[in-house]
Amino acid sequence: MSARFTDDDEGKPVVNENGERIGMVESVHGDTAHVNPDPGMTDTIKSKLGWGDASEDTYELDASNVDHIGDDEIRLGRL
């Protein structure tokens, strides 16, 4: 699926394929969602998303990592 982010996605939780919350959409600019990661998110998941270990507040979520955008959450596909 090619995700199409909208302003309605702001504030939605982002969950991994197992339904575990990894962050929340802080803002949407064009076709890019900016995610504020949860403090407990593992470095492994950050690495797979290409977020590195920089001290940024938000990270860009690549649409290719999204499996489904629902009314209540954004679910990532298998990483």
Side-chain angles (χ1 to χ4, degrees):
M1 169 187 178
S2 180
R4 305 293 285 181
F5 299 112
T6 68
D7 290 342
D8 292 336
D9 296 324
E10 291 180 5
K12 286 184 183 177
V14 178
V15 299
N16 66 15
E17 64 183 0
N18 299 321
E20 299 167 341
R21 183 178 158 150
I22 64 165
M24 179 171 287
V25 176
E26 188 81 21
S27 63
V28 174
H29 299 285
D31 291 334
T32 304
H34 296 268
V35 176
N36 185 354
D38 282 353
M41 189 167 129
T42 67
D43 290 336
T44 302
I45 294 173
K46 286 181 182 178
S47 175
K48 289 182 179 182
L49 290 170
W51 291 355
D53 60 358
S55 60
E56 297 180 35
D57 290 334
T58 63
Y59 296 87
E60 291 184 1
L61 178 59
D62 187 82
S64 66
N65 291 319
V66 175
D67 180 57
H68 175 74
I69 298 176
D71 292 336
D72 300 324
E73 69 182 16
I74 296 175
R75 184 172 293 267
L76 302 181
R78 186 176 192 94
L79 296 178

